[in-house]
Amino acid sequence: MKELAHQEHAAHRILGLVPTMGALHEGHLSLIKRARQDCTSVAASIFVNPKQFGPAEDFAKYPRAQQTDTEKLAALGIQCVFIPEPAEMYPQDYSTYVNVDGISERLEGRTRPGHFRGVSTVVLKLLQIVQPQFAYFGRKDAQQAAIISRMAHDLNLDAEIVVCPIVREADGLAMSSRNVYLNPADRQAATVLHRALQAVQNELHKGTRDALQLQFAMRRVLEQEPRAKIDYAEIVDARTFEPVTHVARSSYALLAAKFGETRLLDNLLIEFNPGNTNEPRIEL
Ligand code: PAJ
């Protein structure tokens, strides 16, 4: 992979990297399509990273679909698919980890201790191996994208981190490799996440800026769905992921809930044009 990356650089191609754990869906493919627009050469990686799964999590049963994944990638005409083995990425004597303090400990980090340490470590390794000018991540995992952006900034990495919109199913459920775990009843119930975020959107349009009120709006919808076990439903600052009391700067409404054994995430981005706190730009 490093040799190939050197060749691409020597040929003055603009190289983009899309890191994934495979079981590719339209959400992943949207990142590839965006990379194809920006770059002259695109690499995707497929690596189910053992370091980002907790001991009681789904590493062993995480969906793997290498054959269909490589077919989907080939159909998009990308230049390279990088599929390393765990033993190549983490040999016996592996001992170096990256930790992005503060932001990694909240929300997802609180429920999944060590998760973001595994994510930042593998992403830094992938960036070092591929040395892309651009690396693409989905806003579906907003906290992950913020942590990676912070790491790239703090460690003076050359790659520009590009965060792309959430791709949803027709009924609003955010696409995720883990959606295949849902039984039909939970799959139906999971649409409550999107509806809870729509409730926040409605409140914002009515002029509500108080974070507690926005949070109540989410919870009211979520609590109507008995199959949803809420982990968190928060309004946070988009950069620090600290809770806010009042929405006046870029913020996220963030949700995590379990349906059976499957934990799903969703979020809504609230942005303001400079000098205009009246009409936020809302991205579901
Ligand atoms: P994975 O869950 O496979 O996701 C790979 C990328 O696709 C991530 O940037 C994720 O945010 C994005 N993505 C997933 N679902 C999406 C959707 N519905 N719309 C838009 N983008 C979506 O996230 C990981 O893998 C790993 O943590 C990784 C970054 C590869 C490190 O191991």
Side-chain angles (χ1 to χ4, degrees), residues 19-22 25 27-28 30-31 47 49 52 62 115 119 122-123 126 136-141 144 148 164-168 174-177:
T20 81
M21 298 203 298
H25 50 66
H28 297 116
S30 74
L31 305 182
F47 181 60
N49 173 31
Q52 70 185 76
Y62 193 83
H115 168 65
V119 169
V122 81
V123 172
L126 292 167
Y136 297 84
F137 296 88
R139 206 195 81 219
K140 215 271 279 160
D141 303 284
Q144 165 173 283
I148 291 165
C164 303
I166 301 178
V167 178
R168 299 176 179 282
M175 290 194 184
S176 162
S177 304

PDB file of all heavy atoms in Angstrom, residues 19-22 25 27-28 30-31 47 49 52 62 115 119 122-123 126 136-141 144 148 164-168 174-177, ligand 1:
ATOM      1  N   PRO A  19     -11.706   5.476   4.841  1.00  0.00           N
ATOM      2  CA  PRO A  19     -11.575   4.328   5.747  1.00  0.00           C
ATOM      3  C   PRO A  19     -12.937   3.737   6.095  1.00  0.00           C
ATOM      4  O   PRO A  19     -13.872   4.484   6.405  1.00  0.00           O
ATOM      5  CB  PRO A  19     -10.924   4.915   7.017  1.00  0.00           C
ATOM      6  CG  PRO A  19     -10.516   6.312   6.662  1.00  0.00           C
ATOM      7  CD  PRO A  19     -11.425   6.739   5.547  1.00  0.00           C
ATOM      8  N   THR A  20     -13.043   2.414   6.045  1.00  0.00           N
ATOM      9  CA  THR A  20     -14.299   1.746   6.412  1.00  0.00           C
ATOM     10  C   THR A  20     -13.995   0.430   7.139  1.00  0.00           C
ATOM     11  O   THR A  20     -12.872  -0.057   7.104  1.00  0.00           O
ATOM     12  CB  THR A  20     -15.178   1.379   5.186  1.00  0.00           C
ATOM     13  OG1 THR A  20     -14.689   0.154   4.614  1.00  0.00           O
ATOM     14  CG2 THR A  20     -15.192   2.454   4.128  1.00  0.00           C
ATOM     15  N   MET A  21     -15.058  -0.127   7.719  1.00  0.00           N
ATOM     16  CA  MET A  21     -14.964  -1.480   8.279  1.00  0.00           C
ATOM     17  C   MET A  21     -15.732  -2.461   7.397  1.00  0.00           C
ATOM     18  O   MET A  21     -16.045  -3.571   7.818  1.00  0.00           O
ATOM     19  CB  MET A  21     -15.492  -1.513   9.718  1.00  0.00           C
ATOM     20  CG  MET A  21     -14.668  -0.602  10.648  1.00  0.00           C
ATOM     21  SD  MET A  21     -14.750  -1.049  12.380  1.00  0.00           S
ATOM     22  CE  MET A  21     -16.483  -0.839  12.713  1.00  0.00           C
ATOM     23  N   GLY A  22     -16.059  -2.044   6.173  1.00  0.00           N
ATOM     24  CA  GLY A  22     -16.708  -2.954   5.232  1.00  0.00           C
ATOM     25  C   GLY A  22     -18.194  -3.109   5.470  1.00  0.00           C
ATOM     26  O   GLY A  22     -18.808  -2.289   6.152  1.00  0.00           O
ATOM     27  N   HIS A  25     -22.567   0.053   2.507  1.00  0.00           N
ATOM     28  CA  HIS A  25     -23.914   0.459   2.108  1.00  0.00           C
ATOM     29  C   HIS A  25     -23.813   1.829   1.441  1.00  0.00           C
ATOM     30  O   HIS A  25     -22.705   2.377   1.299  1.00  0.00           O
ATOM     31  CB  HIS A  25     -24.845   0.471   3.323  1.00  0.00           C
ATOM     32  CG  HIS A  25     -24.285   1.231   4.502  1.00  0.00           C
ATOM     33  ND1 HIS A  25     -24.074   2.586   4.471  1.00  0.00           N
ATOM     34  CD2 HIS A  25     -23.859   0.810   5.725  1.00  0.00           C
ATOM     35  CE1 HIS A  25     -23.575   2.981   5.622  1.00  0.00           C
ATOM     36  NE2 HIS A  25     -23.416   1.920   6.407  1.00  0.00           N
ATOM     37  N   GLY A  27     -24.295   4.702   2.480  1.00  0.00           N
ATOM     38  CA  GLY A  27     -23.610   5.726   3.287  1.00  0.00           C
ATOM     39  C   GLY A  27     -22.118   5.727   2.981  1.00  0.00           C
ATOM     40  O   GLY A  27     -21.523   6.778   2.686  1.00  0.00           O
ATOM     41  N   HIS A  28     -21.510   4.531   3.015  1.00  0.00           N
ATOM     42  CA  HIS A  28     -20.087   4.412   2.662  1.00  0.00           C
ATOM     43  C   HIS A  28     -19.855   4.881   1.228  1.00  0.00           C
ATOM     44  O   HIS A  28     -18.911   5.610   0.941  1.00  0.00           O
ATOM     45  CB  HIS A  28     -19.637   2.949   2.740  1.00  0.00           C
ATOM     46  CG  HIS A  28     -19.720   2.341   4.106  1.00  0.00           C
ATOM     47  ND1 HIS A  28     -20.569   1.296   4.388  1.00  0.00           N
ATOM     48  CD2 HIS A  28     -19.050   2.596   5.250  1.00  0.00           C
ATOM     49  CE1 HIS A  28     -20.416   0.937   5.651  1.00  0.00           C
ATOM     50  NE2 HIS A  28     -19.501   1.711   6.203  1.00  0.00           N
ATOM     51  N   SER A  30     -21.420   6.933  -0.559  1.00  0.00           N
ATOM     52  CA  SER A  30     -21.509   8.391  -0.751  1.00  0.00           C
ATOM     53  C   SER A  30     -20.149   9.044  -0.474  1.00  0.00           C
ATOM     54  O   SER A  30     -19.790  10.034  -1.112  1.00  0.00           O
ATOM     55  CB  SER A  30     -22.595   8.991   0.151  1.00  0.00           C
ATOM     56  OG  SER A  30     -22.161   9.031   1.503  1.00  0.00           O
ATOM     57  N   LEU A  31     -19.400   8.484   0.471  1.00  0.00           N
ATOM     58  CA  LEU A  31     -18.055   9.029   0.771  1.00  0.00           C
ATOM     59  C   LEU A  31     -17.113   8.778  -0.412  1.00  0.00           C
ATOM     60  O   LEU A  31     -16.319   9.643  -0.785  1.00  0.00           O
ATOM     61  CB  LEU A  31     -17.462   8.381   2.027  1.00  0.00           C
ATOM     62  CG  LEU A  31     -18.272   8.424   3.324  1.00  0.00           C
ATOM     63  CD1 LEU A  31     -17.488   7.762   4.456  1.00  0.00           C
ATOM     64  CD2 LEU A  31     -18.611   9.844   3.710  1.00  0.00           C
ATOM     65  N   PHE A  47     -11.225  -2.595   7.063  1.00  0.00           N
ATOM     66  CA  PHE A  47     -10.512  -3.214   8.181  1.00  0.00           C
ATOM     67  C   PHE A  47     -11.420  -3.170   9.397  1.00  0.00           C
ATOM     68  O   PHE A  47     -11.735  -2.084   9.900  1.00  0.00           O
ATOM     69  CB  PHE A  47      -9.195  -2.467   8.462  1.00  0.00           C
ATOM     70  CG  PHE A  47      -8.391  -3.060   9.590  1.00  0.00           C
ATOM     71  CD1 PHE A  47      -7.938  -4.366   9.533  1.00  0.00           C
ATOM     72  CD2 PHE A  47      -8.095  -2.299  10.711  1.00  0.00           C
ATOM     73  CE1 PHE A  47      -7.195  -4.923  10.582  1.00  0.00           C
ATOM     74  CE2 PHE A  47      -7.348  -2.841  11.765  1.00  0.00           C
ATOM     75  CZ  PHE A  47      -6.896  -4.153  11.695  1.00  0.00           C
ATOM     76  N   ASN A  49     -11.548  -3.151  12.780  1.00  0.00           N
ATOM     77  CA  ASN A  49     -10.452  -2.820  13.691  1.00  0.00           C
ATOM     78  C   ASN A  49     -10.692  -3.386  15.098  1.00  0.00           C
ATOM     79  O   ASN A  49     -11.514  -2.842  15.842  1.00  0.00           O
ATOM     80  CB  ASN A  49     -10.342  -1.286  13.739  1.00  0.00           C
ATOM     81  CG  ASN A  49      -9.364  -0.797  14.771  1.00  0.00           C
ATOM     82  OD1 ASN A  49      -8.373  -1.475  15.057  1.00  0.00           O
ATOM     83  ND2 ASN A  49      -9.631   0.386  15.322  1.00  0.00           N
ATOM     84  N   GLN A  52     -11.045  -1.139  18.448  1.00  0.00           N
ATOM     85  CA  GLN A  52     -12.124  -0.209  18.775  1.00  0.00           C
ATOM     86  C   GLN A  52     -13.373  -0.912  19.291  1.00  0.00           C
ATOM     87  O   GLN A  52     -14.399  -0.269  19.511  1.00  0.00           O
ATOM     88  CB  GLN A  52     -12.437   0.705  17.589  1.00  0.00           C
ATOM     89  CG  GLN A  52     -13.091   0.037  16.398  1.00  0.00           C
ATOM     90  CD  GLN A  52     -13.246   1.012  15.235  1.00  0.00           C
ATOM     91  OE1 GLN A  52     -12.291   1.319  14.546  1.00  0.00           O
ATOM     92  NE2 GLN A  52     -14.467   1.507  15.012  1.00  0.00           N
ATOM     93  N   TYR A  62     -19.392  -8.966  13.768  1.00  0.00           N
ATOM     94  CA  TYR A  62     -19.548  -7.782  12.898  1.00  0.00           C
ATOM     95  C   TYR A  62     -19.652  -8.258  11.448  1.00  0.00           C
ATOM     96  O   TYR A  62     -18.883  -9.107  11.006  1.00  0.00           O
ATOM     97  CB  TYR A  62     -18.356  -6.836  13.079  1.00  0.00           C
ATOM     98  CG  TYR A  62     -18.610  -5.478  12.468  1.00  0.00           C
ATOM     99  CD1 TYR A  62     -19.326  -4.509  13.173  1.00  0.00           C
ATOM    100  CD2 TYR A  62     -18.189  -5.179  11.183  1.00  0.00           C
ATOM    101  CE1 TYR A  62     -19.596  -3.268  12.604  1.00  0.00           C
ATOM    102  CE2 TYR A  62     -18.452  -3.940  10.607  1.00  0.00           C
ATOM    103  CZ  TYR A  62     -19.158  -2.990  11.329  1.00  0.00           C
ATOM    104  OH  TYR A  62     -19.427  -1.775  10.750  1.00  0.00           O
ATOM    105  N   HIS A 115     -13.032   2.916  23.076  1.00  0.00           N
ATOM    106  CA  HIS A 115     -13.463   2.858  21.668  1.00  0.00           C
ATOM    107  C   HIS A 115     -12.724   3.896  20.819  1.00  0.00           C
ATOM    108  O   HIS A 115     -12.121   3.571  19.786  1.00  0.00           O
ATOM    109  CB  HIS A 115     -14.973   3.072  21.585  1.00  0.00           C
ATOM    110  CG  HIS A 115     -15.487   3.309  20.200  1.00  0.00           C
ATOM    111  ND1 HIS A 115     -15.421   2.340  19.220  1.00  0.00           N
ATOM    112  CD2 HIS A 115     -16.035   4.407  19.608  1.00  0.00           C
ATOM    113  CE1 HIS A 115     -15.919   2.833  18.095  1.00  0.00           C
ATOM    114  NE2 HIS A 115     -16.299   4.075  18.305  1.00  0.00           N
ATOM    115  N   VAL A 119     -10.150   3.916  17.594  1.00  0.00           N
ATOM    116  CA  VAL A 119     -10.473   4.593  16.330  1.00  0.00           C
ATOM    117  C   VAL A 119      -9.336   5.550  15.951  1.00  0.00           C
ATOM    118  O   VAL A 119      -8.829   5.512  14.823  1.00  0.00           O
ATOM    119  CB  VAL A 119     -11.812   5.368  16.428  1.00  0.00           C
ATOM    120  CG1 VAL A 119     -12.012   6.266  15.226  1.00  0.00           C
ATOM    121  CG2 VAL A 119     -12.987   4.404  16.576  1.00  0.00           C
ATOM    122  N   VAL A 122      -6.160   3.632  14.796  1.00  0.00           N
ATOM    123  CA  VAL A 122      -6.209   2.990  13.470  1.00  0.00           C
ATOM    124  C   VAL A 122      -6.267   4.041  12.363  1.00  0.00           C
ATOM    125  O   VAL A 122      -5.648   3.878  11.310  1.00  0.00           O
ATOM    126  CB  VAL A 122      -7.349   1.960  13.356  1.00  0.00           C
ATOM    127  CG1 VAL A 122      -8.698   2.614  13.074  1.00  0.00           C
ATOM    128  CG2 VAL A 122      -7.038   0.948  12.266  1.00  0.00           C
ATOM    129  N   VAL A 123      -6.992   5.136  12.605  1.00  0.00           N
ATOM    130  CA  VAL A 123      -7.090   6.162  11.556  1.00  0.00           C
ATOM    131  C   VAL A 123      -5.730   6.827  11.350  1.00  0.00           C
ATOM    132  O   VAL A 123      -5.314   7.055  10.211  1.00  0.00           O
ATOM    133  CB  VAL A 123      -8.201   7.185  11.860  1.00  0.00           C
ATOM    134  CG1 VAL A 123      -8.166   8.355  10.882  1.00  0.00           C
ATOM    135  CG2 VAL A 123      -9.575   6.509  11.801  1.00  0.00           C
ATOM    136  N   LEU A 126      -3.720   4.438   9.280  1.00  0.00           N
ATOM    137  CA  LEU A 126      -4.159   4.436   7.875  1.00  0.00           C
ATOM    138  C   LEU A 126      -3.679   5.697   7.149  1.00  0.00           C
ATOM    139  O   LEU A 126      -3.234   5.638   6.006  1.00  0.00           O
ATOM    140  CB  LEU A 126      -5.684   4.312   7.794  1.00  0.00           C
ATOM    141  CG  LEU A 126      -6.250   2.956   8.256  1.00  0.00           C
ATOM    142  CD1 LEU A 126      -7.764   3.034   8.440  1.00  0.00           C
ATOM    143  CD2 LEU A 126      -5.895   1.841   7.267  1.00  0.00           C
ATOM    144  N   TYR A 136     -12.034  11.016   4.125  1.00  0.00           N
ATOM    145  CA  TYR A 136     -13.484  11.239   4.161  1.00  0.00           C
ATOM    146  C   TYR A 136     -14.144  10.446   5.283  1.00  0.00           C
ATOM    147  O   TYR A 136     -13.896   9.241   5.428  1.00  0.00           O
ATOM    148  CB  TYR A 136     -14.097  10.855   2.810  1.00  0.00           C
ATOM    149  CG  TYR A 136     -13.557  11.755   1.720  1.00  0.00           C
ATOM    150  CD1 TYR A 136     -12.340  11.477   1.100  1.00  0.00           C
ATOM    151  CD2 TYR A 136     -14.231  12.915   1.367  1.00  0.00           C
ATOM    152  CE1 TYR A 136     -11.812  12.325   0.135  1.00  0.00           C
ATOM    153  CE2 TYR A 136     -13.722  13.772   0.409  1.00  0.00           C
ATOM    154  CZ  TYR A 136     -12.515  13.473  -0.201  1.00  0.00           C
ATOM    155  OH  TYR A 136     -11.991  14.327  -1.139  1.00  0.00           O
ATOM    156  N   PHE A 137     -15.020  11.145   6.030  1.00  0.00           N
ATOM    157  CA  PHE A 137     -15.740  10.518   7.140  1.00  0.00           C
ATOM    158  C   PHE A 137     -17.193  10.966   7.091  1.00  0.00           C
ATOM    159  O   PHE A 137     -17.505  12.031   6.547  1.00  0.00           O
ATOM    160  CB  PHE A 137     -15.095  10.916   8.473  1.00  0.00           C
ATOM    161  CG  PHE A 137     -13.685  10.401   8.595  1.00  0.00           C
ATOM    162  CD1 PHE A 137     -12.617  11.142   8.119  1.00  0.00           C
ATOM    163  CD2 PHE A 137     -13.441   9.141   9.115  1.00  0.00           C
ATOM    164  CE1 PHE A 137     -11.316  10.649   8.174  1.00  0.00           C
ATOM    165  CE2 PHE A 137     -12.149   8.632   9.180  1.00  0.00           C
ATOM    166  CZ  PHE A 137     -11.078   9.379   8.713  1.00  0.00           C
ATOM    167  N   GLY A 138     -18.074  10.146   7.684  1.00  0.00           N
ATOM    168  CA  GLY A 138     -19.506  10.451   7.664  1.00  0.00           C
ATOM    169  C   GLY A 138     -19.927  11.188   8.920  1.00  0.00           C
ATOM    170  O   GLY A 138     -19.452  10.882  10.015  1.00  0.00           O
ATOM    171  N   ARG A 139     -20.855  12.128   8.762  1.00  0.00           N
ATOM    172  CA  ARG A 139     -21.396  12.842   9.922  1.00  0.00           C
ATOM    173  C   ARG A 139     -22.291  11.934  10.765  1.00  0.00           C
ATOM    174  O   ARG A 139     -22.664  12.284  11.881  1.00  0.00           O
ATOM    175  CB  ARG A 139     -22.196  14.052   9.431  1.00  0.00           C
ATOM    176  CG  ARG A 139     -22.280  15.174  10.451  1.00  0.00           C
ATOM    177  CD  ARG A 139     -23.356  16.157  10.058  1.00  0.00           C
ATOM    178  NE  ARG A 139     -24.644  15.642  10.464  1.00  0.00           N
ATOM    179  CZ  ARG A 139     -25.768  15.738   9.767  1.00  0.00           C
ATOM    180  NH1 ARG A 139     -25.774  16.333   8.603  1.00  0.00           N
ATOM    181  NH2 ARG A 139     -26.891  15.236  10.231  1.00  0.00           N
ATOM    182  N   LYS A 140     -22.639  10.754  10.236  1.00  0.00           N
ATOM    183  CA  LYS A 140     -23.430   9.791  11.014  1.00  0.00           C
ATOM    184  C   LYS A 140     -22.734   9.531  12.343  1.00  0.00           C
ATOM    185  O   LYS A 140     -23.370   9.420  13.386  1.00  0.00           O
ATOM    186  CB  LYS A 140     -23.549   8.484  10.216  1.00  0.00           C
ATOM    187  CG  LYS A 140     -24.835   7.768  10.382  1.00  0.00           C
ATOM    188  CD  LYS A 140     -24.845   6.801  11.524  1.00  0.00           C
ATOM    189  CE  LYS A 140     -24.196   5.497  11.138  1.00  0.00           C
ATOM    190  NZ  LYS A 140     -23.781   4.767  12.355  1.00  0.00           N
ATOM    191  N   ASP A 141     -21.400   9.441  12.296  1.00  0.00           N
ATOM    192  CA  ASP A 141     -20.592   9.255  13.507  1.00  0.00           C
ATOM    193  C   ASP A 141     -19.937  10.599  13.825  1.00  0.00           C
ATOM    194  O   ASP A 141     -18.736  10.789  13.634  1.00  0.00           O
ATOM    195  CB  ASP A 141     -19.563   8.163  13.276  1.00  0.00           C
ATOM    196  CG  ASP A 141     -20.237   6.864  12.857  1.00  0.00           C
ATOM    197  OD1 ASP A 141     -20.812   6.203  13.731  1.00  0.00           O
ATOM    198  OD2 ASP A 141     -20.251   6.547  11.643  1.00  0.00           O
ATOM    199  N   GLN A 144     -16.979  10.793  16.310  1.00  0.00           N
ATOM    200  CA  GLN A 144     -15.787  10.213  15.686  1.00  0.00           C
ATOM    201  C   GLN A 144     -15.152  11.226  14.716  1.00  0.00           C
ATOM    202  O   GLN A 144     -13.937  11.441  14.738  1.00  0.00           O
ATOM    203  CB  GLN A 144     -16.182   8.944  14.931  1.00  0.00           C
ATOM    204  CG  GLN A 144     -15.142   8.430  13.952  1.00  0.00           C
ATOM    205  CD  GLN A 144     -15.522   7.080  13.365  1.00  0.00           C
ATOM    206  OE1 GLN A 144     -15.393   6.065  14.030  1.00  0.00           O
ATOM    207  NE2 GLN A 144     -15.991   7.044  12.139  1.00  0.00           N
ATOM    208  N   ILE A 148     -11.400  12.855  15.026  1.00  0.00           N
ATOM    209  CA  ILE A 148     -10.387  12.692  13.975  1.00  0.00           C
ATOM    210  C   ILE A 148      -9.930  14.063  13.464  1.00  0.00           C
ATOM    211  O   ILE A 148      -8.738  14.288  13.248  1.00  0.00           O
ATOM    212  CB  ILE A 148     -10.932  11.785  12.853  1.00  0.00           C
ATOM    213  CG1 ILE A 148     -11.054  10.356  13.400  1.00  0.00           C
ATOM    214  CG2 ILE A 148     -10.018  11.812  11.627  1.00  0.00           C
ATOM    215  CD1 ILE A 148     -11.887   9.437  12.560  1.00  0.00           C
ATOM    216  N   CYS A 164     -18.881  14.286   5.592  1.00  0.00           N
ATOM    217  CA  CYS A 164     -19.959  14.228   4.592  1.00  0.00           C
ATOM    218  C   CYS A 164     -21.321  13.950   5.240  1.00  0.00           C
ATOM    219  O   CYS A 164     -21.389  13.369   6.325  1.00  0.00           O
ATOM    220  CB  CYS A 164     -19.655  13.121   3.587  1.00  0.00           C
ATOM    221  SG  CYS A 164     -18.063  13.324   2.785  1.00  0.00           S
ATOM    222  N   PRO A 165     -22.410  14.341   4.560  1.00  0.00           N
ATOM    223  CA  PRO A 165     -23.769  14.207   5.128  1.00  0.00           C
ATOM    224  C   PRO A 165     -24.190  12.767   5.431  1.00  0.00           C
ATOM    225  O   PRO A 165     -23.607  11.819   4.900  1.00  0.00           O
ATOM    226  CB  PRO A 165     -24.672  14.776   4.033  1.00  0.00           C
ATOM    227  CG  PRO A 165     -23.799  15.502   3.093  1.00  0.00           C
ATOM    228  CD  PRO A 165     -22.423  14.948   3.222  1.00  0.00           C
ATOM    229  N   ILE A 166     -25.232  12.649   6.243  1.00  0.00           N
ATOM    230  CA  ILE A 166     -25.779  11.333   6.603  1.00  0.00           C
ATOM    231  C   ILE A 166     -26.660  10.825   5.459  1.00  0.00           C
ATOM    232  O   ILE A 166     -27.511  11.566   4.960  1.00  0.00           O
ATOM    233  CB  ILE A 166     -26.633  11.433   7.887  1.00  0.00           C
ATOM    234  CG1 ILE A 166     -25.792  11.961   9.053  1.00  0.00           C
ATOM    235  CG2 ILE A 166     -27.268  10.083   8.227  1.00  0.00           C
ATOM    236  CD1 ILE A 166     -26.572  12.133  10.352  1.00  0.00           C
ATOM    237  N   VAL A 167     -26.466   9.582   5.074  1.00  0.00           N
ATOM    238  CA  VAL A 167     -27.343   8.951   4.087  1.00  0.00           C
ATOM    239  C   VAL A 167     -28.360   8.093   4.847  1.00  0.00           C
ATOM    240  O   VAL A 167     -27.980   7.317   5.737  1.00  0.00           O
ATOM    241  CB  VAL A 167     -26.544   8.094   3.086  1.00  0.00           C
ATOM    242  CG1 VAL A 167     -27.472   7.396   2.104  1.00  0.00           C
ATOM    243  CG2 VAL A 167     -25.540   8.972   2.338  1.00  0.00           C
ATOM    244  N   ARG A 168     -29.639   8.267   4.505  1.00  0.00           N
ATOM    245  CA  ARG A 168     -30.717   7.604   5.240  1.00  0.00           C
ATOM    246  C   ARG A 168     -31.516   6.662   4.344  1.00  0.00           C
ATOM    247  O   ARG A 168     -31.562   6.840   3.129  1.00  0.00           O
ATOM    248  CB  ARG A 168     -31.676   8.672   5.815  1.00  0.00           C
ATOM    249  CG  ARG A 168     -31.002   9.614   6.779  1.00  0.00           C
ATOM    250  CD  ARG A 168     -31.923  10.732   7.264  1.00  0.00           C
ATOM    251  NE  ARG A 168     -31.190  11.569   8.214  1.00  0.00           N
ATOM    252  CZ  ARG A 168     -30.976  11.230   9.484  1.00  0.00           C
ATOM    253  NH1 ARG A 168     -31.496  10.128   9.970  1.00  0.00           N
ATOM    254  NH2 ARG A 168     -30.265  12.021  10.273  1.00  0.00           N
ATOM    255  N   ALA A 174     -30.963   6.208   9.642  1.00  0.00           N
ATOM    256  CA  ALA A 174     -29.608   6.406   9.121  1.00  0.00           C
ATOM    257  C   ALA A 174     -29.026   5.049   8.750  1.00  0.00           C
ATOM    258  O   ALA A 174     -29.146   4.082   9.515  1.00  0.00           O
ATOM    259  CB  ALA A 174     -28.742   7.086  10.181  1.00  0.00           C
ATOM    260  N   MET A 175     -28.410   4.971   7.569  1.00  0.00           N
ATOM    261  CA  MET A 175     -27.815   3.689   7.159  1.00  0.00           C
ATOM    262  C   MET A 175     -26.665   3.343   8.081  1.00  0.00           C
ATOM    263  O   MET A 175     -25.904   4.214   8.504  1.00  0.00           O
ATOM    264  CB  MET A 175     -27.331   3.776   5.723  1.00  0.00           C
ATOM    265  CG  MET A 175     -28.474   3.841   4.761  1.00  0.00           C
ATOM    266  SD  MET A 175     -27.917   3.540   3.091  1.00  0.00           S
ATOM    267  CE  MET A 175     -29.457   3.817   2.236  1.00  0.00           C
ATOM    268  N   SER A 176     -26.547   2.055   8.404  1.00  0.00           N
ATOM    269  CA  SER A 176     -25.476   1.572   9.270  1.00  0.00           C
ATOM    270  C   SER A 176     -25.261   0.093   8.986  1.00  0.00           C
ATOM    271  O   SER A 176     -26.227  -0.632   8.704  1.00  0.00           O
ATOM    272  CB  SER A 176     -25.875   1.750  10.740  1.00  0.00           C
ATOM    273  OG  SER A 176     -25.065   0.944  11.571  1.00  0.00           O
ATOM    274  N   SER A 177     -24.004  -0.330   9.052  1.00  0.00           N
ATOM    275  CA  SER A 177     -23.721  -1.760   8.856  1.00  0.00           C
ATOM    276  C   SER A 177     -24.435  -2.593   9.908  1.00  0.00           C
ATOM    277  O   SER A 177     -24.691  -3.778   9.708  1.00  0.00           O
ATOM    278  CB  SER A 177     -22.215  -2.023   8.942  1.00  0.00           C
ATOM    279  OG  SER A 177     -21.526  -1.226   8.013  1.00  0.00           O
TER     280      SER A 177
HETATM  281  P1  PAJ B   1     -17.721   2.267   9.407  1.00  0.00           P
HETATM  282  O1  PAJ B   1     -18.764   2.143  10.451  1.00  0.00           O
HETATM  283  O2  PAJ B   1     -17.570   1.204   8.384  1.00  0.00           O
HETATM  284  O3  PAJ B   1     -17.954   3.635   8.669  1.00  0.00           O
HETATM  285  C1  PAJ B   1     -17.039   4.099   7.705  1.00  0.00           C
HETATM  286  C2  PAJ B   1     -17.381   5.543   7.370  1.00  0.00           C
HETATM  287  O4  PAJ B   1     -18.681   5.589   6.785  1.00  0.00           O
HETATM  288  C3  PAJ B   1     -17.411   6.428   8.641  1.00  0.00           C
HETATM  289  O5  PAJ B   1     -16.791   7.666   8.358  1.00  0.00           O
HETATM  290  C4  PAJ B   1     -18.899   6.571   8.888  1.00  0.00           C
HETATM  291  O6  PAJ B   1     -19.244   7.763   9.568  1.00  0.00           O
HETATM  292  C5  PAJ B   1     -19.438   6.570   7.453  1.00  0.00           C
HETATM  293  N1  PAJ B   1     -20.865   6.248   7.439  1.00  0.00           N
HETATM  294  C6  PAJ B   1     -21.474   5.182   8.014  1.00  0.00           C
HETATM  295  N2  PAJ B   1     -22.813   5.243   7.835  1.00  0.00           N
HETATM  296  C7  PAJ B   1     -23.059   6.382   7.153  1.00  0.00           C
HETATM  297  C8  PAJ B   1     -24.251   7.036   6.671  1.00  0.00           C
HETATM  298  N3  PAJ B   1     -25.456   6.503   6.860  1.00  0.00           N
HETATM  299  N4  PAJ B   1     -24.115   8.189   5.999  1.00  0.00           N
HETATM  300  C9  PAJ B   1     -22.898   8.748   5.804  1.00  0.00           C
HETATM  301  N5  PAJ B   1     -21.742   8.201   6.237  1.00  0.00           N
HETATM  302  C10 PAJ B   1     -21.821   7.034   6.901  1.00  0.00           C
HETATM  303  O7  PAJ B   1     -16.609   4.365  11.227  1.00  0.00           O
HETATM  304  C11 PAJ B   1     -15.934   3.374  11.027  1.00  0.00           C
HETATM  305  O8  PAJ B   1     -16.270   2.410  10.093  1.00  0.00           O
HETATM  306  C12 PAJ B   1     -14.628   3.106  11.756  1.00  0.00           C
HETATM  307  O9  PAJ B   1     -14.709   3.643  13.047  1.00  0.00           O
HETATM  308  C13 PAJ B   1     -13.379   3.654  11.006  1.00  0.00           C
HETATM  309  C14 PAJ B   1     -13.430   5.186  10.850  1.00  0.00           C
HETATM  310  C15 PAJ B   1     -13.240   2.989   9.635  1.00  0.00           C
HETATM  311  C16 PAJ B   1     -12.110   3.317  11.843  1.00  0.00           C
HETATM  312  O10 PAJ B   1     -12.003   1.954  12.051  1.00  0.00           O
END
